[in-house]
Amino acid sequence: MAVTSRRLLRTSLLTALSAVLVASAATGAAQAEPSRTPAPAAAATVFSDTFDGPAGAAANASKWQIETGDNVNNHERQYYTAGANNAALDGQGHLVITARRENPGNYQCWYGRCEYTSARLNTSGKFTAQYGHVEARLQVPRGQGMWPAFWMLGNDIGQVGWPNSGEIDVMENVGYEPSTVHGTIHGPGYSGSGGIGAAYTLPGGQAFADGFHTFAVDWAPDSITWSVDGQVYQRRTPADLGGRSWVFNKPFFLILNLAVGGYWPGDPDGSTSFPQRLVVDHVSVTTSGVAPGARR
């Protein structure tokens, strides 16, 4: 989700096998075997949340922090609230982010009194990823003006700003495209509406809001590959940037949010019903079985 007009613990499991000494059966002399090619590292889950807990509980504070406020940059209409007001466990292993057309706290937005409330969570200061398989299993909301997203920002955003920090949008959906999701990268010289990405559309007119789907990136040095339900639909490398800077070989933190309105999705209209929910079944980051120095 771009933070302009349209827009975490570094973990890389690297291993190498040392040369193995074997005893010579014939002479008893110790001889060194030739060096072997480094074996791929075993995959390991370095971040996981399956959102187990009682209904109404807030997200695990050791993994997620709750952002608050509005977003004038995208001209979104919601106010992101604290606690479990708009983001709570359902007691069935899900986190539910709920957008409501209400403002009991009298929150003020860039355009005046906020019309909607919702939630945005991130792992900044709690977890960063650098490479691996990053995925979330989600059921998106439906309706004009809905804008759910699962994405990542460079952990150095506080020092270098956006878009120099880089942004990896694992999944974005805008309500007027019920069958389509987008995967995008943003960086210096290719941000906002100039982000580089592709779309994935379900066959046969199916809507993403009708059920759960798994959205993922496989991220390695100089390579990011997007998939939906295991189906790869795009791969990006520095060669796609036309000489511009690749800013994705560093730690990023994770973000989940449900925006309402904005430049890209447009605002809700009379056809949009509330409340709307982004239901999150799980989020995980798994290190890839990549040998030392390997590139994808």
Side-chain angles (χ1 to χ4, degrees):
M1 171 169 287
V3 292
T4 59
S5 63
R6 181 212 153 198
R7 290 271 223 212
L8 258 143
L9 230 219
R10 168 183 304 200
T11 303
S12 182
L13 209 74
L14 303 175
T15 62
L17 293 177
S18 60
V20 180
L21 297 179
V22 294
S24 170
T27 65
Q31 298 178 339
E33 283 189 354
S35 296
R36 296 176 179 174
T37 302
T45 299
V46 294
F47 179 90
S48 178
D49 199 338
T50 54
F51 304 105
D52 297 316
N60 188 333
S62 71
K63 298 180 179 182
W64 302 96
Q65 67 171 348
I66 310 297
E67 299 185 39
T68 60
D70 64 344
N71 190 346
V72 63
N73 293 321
N74 289 330
H75 274 203
E76 298 164 16
R77 312 295 292 189
Q78 82 291 326
Y79 187 94
Y80 290 129
T81 69
N85 292 329
N86 292 82
L89 307 184
D90 67 356
Q92 300 177 12
H94 306 118
L95 171 69
V96 181
I97 300 176
T98 304
R100 297 186 175 93
R101 188 168 189 170
E102 64 177 19
N103 185 358
N106 197 32
Y107 303 115
Q108 298 299 304
C109 285
W110 59 270
Y111 57 89
R113 189 177 188 275
C114 305
E115 300 176 59
Y116 307 93
T117 60
S118 189
R120 173 163 152 168
L121 302 81
N122 71 56
T123 64
S124 178
K126 301 174 184 292
F127 172 79
T128 58
Q130 183 172 351
Y131 311 136
H133 179 83
V134 182
E135 75 166 45
R137 185 171 182 260
L138 312 169
Q139 183 174 12
V140 304
R142 70 177 79 238
Q144 170 58 36
M146 295 298 98
W147 188 3
F150 173 50
W151 50 302
M152 297 186 278
L153 282 172
N155 198 47
D156 58 356
I157 190 169
Q159 290 73 53
V160 304
W162 186 94
N164 291 335
S165 61
E167 174 180 329
I168 303 170
D169 298 324
V170 183
M171 185 286 301
E172 293 182 278
N173 168 256
V174 287
Y176 63 81
E177 295 179 330
S179 300
T180 300
V181 294
H182 298 261
T184 314
I185 50 174
H186 301 267
Y190 52 101
S191 62
S193 60
I196 297 171
Y200 177 90
T201 300
L202 289 170
Q206 301 173 69
F208 278 101
D210 291 338
F212 284 93
H213 295 272
T214 300
F215 306 96
V217 293
D218 285 281
W219 174 24
D222 292 347
S223 173
I224 305 172
T225 301
W226 283 257
S227 63
V228 175
D229 298 329
Q231 299 296 307
V232 171
Y233 69 95
Q234 118 173 271
R235 179 176 182 265
R236 297 295 173 180
T237 72
D240 294 302
L241 304 187
R244 291 164 293 186
S245 179
W246 177 269
V247 290
F248 308 104
N249 294 339
K250 61 183 180 182
F252 278 62
F253 60 86
L254 314 179
I255 307 169
L256 284 165
N257 73 285
L258 174 54
V260 181
Y263 287 121
W264 187 18
D267 292 341
D269 60 22
S271 70
T272 313
S273 63
F274 286 92
Q276 287 292 331
R277 309 190 313 162
L278 170 61
V279 185
V280 188
D281 179 62
H282 73 256
V283 176
S284 66
V285 179
T286 306
T287 59
S288 298
V290 180
R295 297 285 179 103
R296 287 184 176 183

